[in-house]
Structures are given as C-alpha cells and as structure tokens.
Amino acid sequence: MLGKRHAMPTIVLYQFPGAYGLDSLSPFCTKLDVYLRLAGIEHETRLGDPREAPKGKLPYVRWDGALIGDSQIVLERCRTELGDPLDGRLDAAERARGHLVRRTCEEHLYWVLLEVRWGDDRIWDTSYRDAIASALPAAVRWFLPGLLRRGVIKSLKAQGLGRHARAEVVRMGEQDLDALATVVGDGPFLFGDEPTSFDCSLYAMVEHLRRTPGEHPLVEAVKARAPLVRLCDRMNERLAA
C-alpha cells in the first residue's frame, strides 16, 4: 500500500529517459521517483537536461519554482517539510544501519554499475550504447555516446574502481551484494514489512544492475542472491499497486 498523500507544493521531477523496463537510465532518478511514489507525494515527471540542473546532474526537481539538485537533498527536504511516512518509525540504530546500507549502494555499488554498463565492452556494444543513443537527439547519436563513455570511464578511473581489472571489480561487486543480501535476510524489506527510504536506495541500485541486459558475472550475481531478488520483486509489486 502506498504512503499517505500530503498537502504539498508543486513538484516536478526531471530525470533521464528510461530503458530496460525502467523509467530512467539513472538509479538516482529511480530512487527519488520511488520515494516520492511510496511517500504519496504528488509530482510530475519530465525529461531533464543536465545543463539546466542546479548541480549539473540529474535528477533535480522544481519545487514551487525553485530548482533543487541531488536526490538525497530533495528526499530530506520532503521529510522535513512534508512529513516522514517511510522512516518516521525507525529508531536511531535502524537509521544508522540504513545510512550504512545507503552509502554502500550509492558510493560503491553505483560505481560498480557504471563499470558494468559503461566500462565492459560486451555490455556497451550489445545494449548500453543503443540505450544511451536512443535518449539523444538524432543528430548526435552517431558520435555523442562514445564521447559520454570516455567521460564516464575517466570518472571511474578518478574514483578508483576503473583502475582495477574486470575480475577484481566483479569480486568487489559480489562483496557488496553478499553484504546487502545478508542485511536484508528473510525480511520483506530492510526494516520489517514496510519499505523505507533506505529500501529505495537499495532497490534502485540492485534493480538497475539486475535489469542490465547482456552477459556479465555481476548481473548473474544479483539474480543468484534470493534476498535481493525478493526485495526488488516486492518493491515492484508495491509500485504497481
């Protein structure tokens, strides 16, 4: 059951176009959209342009005319000004645990996802280049995906993950997935029968990895970890209700 609706400002969420059955190519866009939907916060979704974003990245929102960037900053403003239907029941220890889960997902597993999609030639050549190209104007589809890829690979090397061999990246990603699967355990969600904002982060990163088409050890690794598959399936059921 979705969260209770609130009296609220006009919110427009700007995000990347979708692919692979996902509403957006970006897991951070997915995270924020899922949070808004589960919290019952009315919003409109539009395609965004990073050049117009306040932090140069998507997602961002227009909140009663003001632009706000970064999915977590937007989420925290929603909790502060519109109530906290997802996390209000959590105690300090659960919030701390959720914070660590979110950091694992957004500060490491996210980079693993980028390496899978942008860094692995087989994924890039068989599916992801076309997904990126389809989101671009026709006039630039023949050259801009390659330029964007070079920029992402440069960022991966600056972050550090892109300096490792493929087998090392796979091992690091599997360690993340093992830890996350252990934390989820047999529960429907991270903290009981109802999802929290931390489930939104976990779901976004794991579901994006799971739905990436092509043969890659980490895509198969997600599918082999039953607690993560169950959580994503339950989240999809909530969102479809």
Side-chain angles (χ1 to χ4, degrees):
M1 181 177 180
L2 297 185
K4 181 180 178 181
R5 291 184 177 274
H6 304 278
M8 56 165 299
T10 300
I11 296 177
V12 180
L13 168 62
Y14 292 90
Q15 61 181 19
F16 290 109
Y20 314 146
L22 295 160
D23 290 339
S24 175
L25 282 167
S26 164
F28 288 101
C29 295
T30 297
K31 164 198 166 181
L32 184 53
D33 183 48
V34 168
Y35 175 83
L36 293 172
R37 292 168 66 185
L38 291 178
I41 299 174
E42 294 181 0
H43 64 289
E44 180 183 349
T45 301
R46 298 180 186 174
L47 296 182
D49 186 337
R51 293 171 298 182
E52 299 175 2
K55 296 181 183 290
K57 300 169 66 176
L58 271 59
Y60 65 97
V61 303
R62 185 177 296 278
W63 184 300
D64 276 347
L67 297 182
I68 308 171
D70 188 89
S71 63
Q72 190 62 26
I73 290 175
V74 174
L75 191 155
E76 290 171 1
R77 178 162 178 175
C78 289
R79 289 196 299 210
T80 299
E81 297 192 16
L82 304 176
D84 196 7
L86 301 190
D87 298 348
R89 62 185 170 84
L90 301 180
D91 61 27
E94 289 170 327
R95 289 176 183 271
R97 182 181 172 193
H99 176 81
L100 294 175
V101 168
R102 182 170 68 82
R103 288 294 192 209
T104 298
C105 291
E106 297 183 7
E107 303 298 338
H108 194 267
L109 188 58
Y110 168 69
W111 292 97
V112 171
L113 175 66
L114 289 187
E115 176 62 30
V116 170
R117 287 181 168 180
W118 296 85
D120 190 289
D121 289 338
R122 294 179 302 174
I123 299 296
W124 175 259
D125 291 337
T126 60
S127 67
Y128 203 62
R129 187 194 184 283
D130 290 342
I132 294 297
S134 67
L136 298 172
V140 298
R141 287 176 186 168
W142 66 276
F143 73 91
L144 190 53
L147 291 178
L148 294 173
R149 187 191 191 197
R150 285 193 285 273
V152 171
I153 290 174
K154 183 177 179 181
S155 296
L156 280 161
K157 289 184 177 179
Q159 188 270 346
L161 194 75
R163 299 175 185 269
H164 296 293
R166 180 171 179 242
E168 294 170 328
V169 173
V170 169
R171 178 175 58 82
M172 293 175 186
E174 288 178 339
Q175 290 172 339
D176 287 348
L177 296 174
D178 284 338
L180 293 168
T182 299
V183 170
V184 173
D186 296 328
F189 296 102
L190 282 169
F191 302 106
D193 294 337
E194 298 297 326
T196 66
S197 70
F198 305 110
D199 291 284
C200 297
S201 293
L202 190 156
Y203 164 79
M205 300 302 160
V206 172
E207 186 72 348
H208 270 255
L209 186 56
R210 181 169 76 145
R211 292 207 193 185
T212 299
E215 296 183 3
H216 193 284
L218 285 172
V219 175
E220 298 307 314
V222 171
K223 297 174 182 178
R225 281 148 177 84
L228 300 181
V229 172
R230 288 196 301 266
L231 185 146
C232 288
D233 287 345
R234 288 178 183 126
M235 188 71 87
N236 287 329
E237 291 173 0
R238 292 294 183 97
L239 296 170

